[in-house]
Amino acid sequence: MDDFVSTKRSLENDKLRGVVVFVHPELQCDPLGKRNQVGVICEADIALDNIYVDFRDKVGLFSADALFTFLRSDQIQDNLVNLLQDKTSLEFKVLRSVELLVRYGDVTEKIKAMQTARDFPAIQPMCVEVLKDKISRDISNQYER
């Protein structure tokens, strides 16, 4: 049983590599000065809550509750549908751009999408979530199968 749990955790750790995140803008302890910066997860140990994020100039260690990541692209699209009544609004246009980049983009384009989401707080509830919440949901979904 322990090997099974260990294997699942290892797979979850591997799934996080390459995920684009941004650091919580109100992070209390930020020795690297990366508050509100966008980076890419390069290594993770979920069991220890150690998430290593590459910012090009340096790598930082964060806990999962200090990082934001994208919602699933279908959730972003559902949120976009809720804004359809006003296709000319700035929120609609920005969220549409983010949704397209998340759905079809490579890492570079997802970084641009995350920077856009970071810069438009009004759309954040519609396209990002705390990484800790995503991890918890993914793990509980695995054990329900």
Side-chain angles (χ1 to χ4, degrees):
M1 181 73 170
D2 288 333
D3 289 340
F4 179 71
V5 171
S6 172
T7 301
K8 280 199 168 207
R9 279 194 185 135
S10 178
L11 291 172
E12 283 301 311
N13 291 337
D14 290 344
K15 282 184 190 177
L16 289 176
R17 276 193 204 104
V19 170
V20 178
V21 295
F22 82 91
V23 180
H24 198 294
E26 297 171 11
L27 185 64
Q28 296 298 313
C29 182
D30 185 19
L32 291 178
K34 294 299 181 183
R35 186 177 297 130
N36 217 26
Q37 298 297 308
V38 175
V40 179
I41 296 175
C42 58
E43 194 65 45
D45 186 335
I46 294 171
L48 296 176
D49 193 26
N50 290 335
I51 312 295
Y52 294 89
V53 181
D54 185 352
F55 296 98
R56 290 193 183 190
D57 63 333
K58 55 180 91 170
V59 173
L61 172 63
F62 298 89
S63 66
D65 60 353
L67 302 169
F68 286 99
T69 189
F70 288 114
L71 293 169
R72 290 188 338 257
S73 58
D74 62 321
Q75 288 178 294
I76 298 172
Q77 188 174 29
D78 289 346
N79 291 331
L80 190 61
V81 168
N82 293 333
L83 293 176
L84 272 177
Q85 69 276 7
D86 189 5
K87 292 181 187 178
T88 61
S89 73
L90 181 60
E91 287 84 9
F92 178 84
K93 291 176 182 178
V94 172
L95 187 59
R96 178 67 176 149
S97 172
V98 167
E99 189 268 335
L100 287 171
L101 291 172
V102 169
R103 186 176 296 272
Y104 301 111
D106 61 13
V107 172
T108 303
E109 290 166 326
K110 287 179 182 176
I111 289 171
K112 290 178 189 174
M114 188 60 83
Q115 290 167 335
T116 301
R118 176 201 62 197
D119 295 343
F120 287 89
I123 68 160
Q124 287 177 8
M126 297 179 273
C127 63
V128 297
E129 67 179 326
V130 177
L131 180 62
K132 182 177 183 174
D133 295 343
K134 181 182 183 84
I135 291 170
S136 296
R137 189 177 51 257
D138 289 350
I139 289 173
S140 68
N141 286 342
Q142 279 187 351
Y143 288 107
E144 288 175 8
R145 291 181 189 164

